[in-house]
Amino acid sequence: MQIRYFAWVRERVGREAETLEVPAAVTTVSGLIDWLAERDESYASAFAERDTIRVALDHEHVEHDAPLAGAREAAFFPPMTGG
């Protein structure tokens, strides 16, 4: 799965994108966040404020309980402000 990170999520992880083999046991966005946060301290820091992180699967905004089945890309970003 292609994983993309934006804004401060990208800064904390230290990269803007990567391709990962997500374990079959990871079936939801929330599970993906949990799995990523366990990878190392930089990911744990990036996902520490999980309730504020927005997610898109294949360019469609979804909730954290959304299933990953069939998704090719997940993007994580903080809330945006307009102006």
Side-chain angles (χ1 to χ4, degrees), residues 2-83:
Q2 180 74 19
I3 311 290
R4 297 191 174 283
Y5 310 102
F6 294 91
W8 55 256
V9 179
R10 177 187 64 231
E11 292 169 7
R12 292 177 186 178
V13 169
R15 61 187 53 140
E16 62 183 63
E18 61 188 328
T19 301
L20 298 172
E21 282 291 326
V22 178
V26 177
T27 60
T28 64
V29 169
S30 182
L32 180 59
I33 291 171
D34 290 342
W35 180 71
L36 289 168
E38 292 172 357
R39 294 190 77 205
D40 68 31
E41 290 180 20
S42 64
Y43 289 90
S45 174
F47 293 104
E49 300 174 49
R50 70 176 41 231
D51 292 339
T52 65
I53 294 176
R54 303 294 178 241
V55 183
L57 293 179
D58 295 331
H59 304 274
E60 183 177 323
H61 292 268
V62 297
E63 298 296 325
H64 287 202
D65 62 352
L68 292 179
R72 295 182 315 229
E73 179 186 86
F76 297 96
F77 48 93
M80 308 282 180
T81 58

